[in-house]
Amino acid sequence: MPFGGGNKCGCCQKTVYFAEEVQCDGRSYHKSCFLCMVCRKNLDSTTVAIHGDEVYCKACYGKKYGPKGYGYGGGAGTLSMDKGESLGIKPEEQAPHRPTNNPNPSKFAQKFGGSDVCPRCSKAVYAAEKVVGAGSAWHKSCFRCAKCGKGLESTTLADKDGEIFCKGCYAKNFGPKGFGYGQGAGALSHAQ
């Protein structure tokens, strides 16, 4: 304990006296300083998450440092387009998506050489990296939607003319069109 009565606050660096002290991860804080770095909510031992010298509530920590992508953090089946700029996260630049460019759809030609050929990159697919979908063998890294590039599973794909799509892109591009379709939540729109 430093000379002068108490430890220094991990947030404001002022002296913390015993009556107002909250300890977390070996550091002392004023009760009024023990707040989430993002949303400024009061924290306690059950709601705190630590990253380096920063303290967060579990919700903000999960948004900033947790897993990203489809199925995480949206809740109730919603898909959020929030990339976390408000949390100081810089969005990653994704490599441009390459659609299928296999010039030879012949099954016999693909089998030549003892291994399958990926329809997306036209390279050999070996057992350790093989994913089967739409009647073909794909590399795990090539098994993505032809429109948006989202990774797929054999249960979440739709195929058309030898190309694979996520269900959302398939519905947008090949599903029913017109009045009452594609607006979601039962909403009807009238475009003139």
Side-chain angles (χ1 to χ4, degrees), residues 24-88:
C24 177
D25 201 37
R27 303 178 74 192
S28 296
Y29 296 88
H30 294 105
K31 287 180 185 175
S32 59
C33 291
F34 196 54
L35 306 171
C36 173
M37 303 280 290
V38 176
C39 68
R40 310 300 293 163
K41 287 183 184 173
N42 286 321
L43 301 172
D44 62 36
S45 63
T46 62
T47 60
V48 70
I50 302 164
H51 188 85
D53 290 341
E54 301 171 334
V55 290
Y56 299 93
C57 66
K58 289 186 177 182
C60 290
Y61 180 87
K63 287 178 189 172
K64 189 165 184 175
Y65 299 107
K68 306 287 185 290
Y70 182 75
Y72 290 105
T78 61
L79 180 61
S80 172
M81 299 308 286
D82 177 20
K83 292 188 169 82
E85 288 91 353
S86 63
L87 300 172

Side-chain angles (χ1 to χ4, degrees), residues 95-178:
H97 176 69
R98 295 181 354 214
T100 301
N101 60 359
N102 185 2
N104 192 352
S106 161
K107 295 286 181 193
F108 178 78
Q110 288 182 1
K111 295 285 182 186
F112 186 73
S115 64
D116 294 317
V117 175
C118 176
R120 177 79 29 94
C121 68
S122 301
K123 294 181 181 172
V125 180
Y126 299 103
E129 57 189 358
K130 182 177 181 178
V131 179
V132 177
S136 298
W138 304 73
H139 293 107
K140 287 179 186 174
S141 59
C142 293
F143 200 62
R144 300 183 163 280
C145 175
K147 286 285 183 191
C148 68
K150 181 169 58 174
L152 300 173
E153 295 178 11
S154 59
T155 59
T156 61
L157 71 85
D159 67 308
K160 181 160 178 85
D161 301 327
E163 191 55 87
I164 56 174
F165 301 91
C166 67
K167 296 203 180 212
C169 288
Y170 184 87
K172 279 187 222 168
N173 292 290
F174 307 110
K177 306 271 189 289

